[in-house]
Amino acid sequence: MESIQIRSFREQDFDHVHQLNQQEGWEGLVQHNEETLCAWINSEPALVAVDDSGELVGYLRGLTDGTTTLYICELLVKESCRKQGIAEQLVRTAHECYPNARVDMLATESSEGYYSHTGYRSFYGFRKAAEEM
């Protein structure tokens, strides 16, 4: 496994984030490109995982109140780089910034097994899209 560096998101990283979203089929984020960039700029924590060659291979975008809750909005690792602990490094790095906060995140059906396997419990919630309000 290559060495992975976790660092803060920079605006010039966004094209690579956008490519990862496209590869994953996250069409909402892809279609709303400008809004997605705005979300990144205004999020904390916003982290990227970069390999030895400088390639962005994963990311985490979160929101927090700094004390009680660290909400992971998006967590994505390039498919060919999965099962190497990169997602875990991203979450751990984010949580180290807010060590007393609980970690909440949404999961897709395809990622549910990963989160259950790594000790996350499911929780119940509701959602409406902006256009439904």
Side-chain angles (χ1 to χ4, degrees):
M1 179 175 104
E2 290 187 61
S3 169
I4 298 296
Q5 175 192 8
I6 306 298
R7 62 165 173 77
S8 294
F9 168 81
R10 301 175 192 142
E11 194 168 338
Q12 61 263 35
D13 296 324
F14 186 71
D15 287 341
H16 300 288
V17 167
H18 186 73
Q19 289 173 351
L20 284 179
N21 290 338
Q22 287 176 313
Q23 292 167 4
E24 191 66 18
W26 288 359
E27 292 304 316
L29 297 175
V30 171
Q31 291 172 1
H32 297 94
N33 194 36
E34 288 182 30
E35 291 89 346
T36 303
L37 173 58
C38 183
W40 271 93
I41 291 169
N42 291 294
S43 293
E44 174 59 37
L47 304 171
V48 295
V50 181
D51 69 13
D52 289 334
S53 70
E55 180 185 3
L56 192 146
V57 296
Y59 70 74
L60 177 149
R61 187 179 75 79
L63 299 170
T64 187
D65 56 21
T67 307
T68 304
T69 305
L70 167 57
Y71 175 69
I72 308 299
C73 306
E74 289 127 28
L75 175 63
L76 182 58
V77 174
K78 184 178 177 180
E79 190 169 5
S80 63
C81 297
R82 293 179 185 166
K83 299 186 181 199
Q84 298 178 28
I86 297 169
E88 183 180 337
Q89 282 182 265
L90 284 161
V91 172
R92 187 175 345 125
T93 301
H95 192 250
E96 286 171 356
C97 297
Y98 311 98
N100 295 318
R102 70 174 179 238
V103 176
D104 290 343
M105 68 178 80
L106 293 178
T108 61
E109 283 185 41
S110 62
S111 65
E112 180 182 2
Y114 167 79
Y115 294 115
S116 295
H117 176 75
T118 56
Y120 288 89
R121 300 179 307 277
S122 64
F123 66 97
Y124 189 67
F126 296 93
R127 171 184 280 172
K128 272 189 179 183
E131 58 273 7
E132 296 172 305
M133 295 301 292

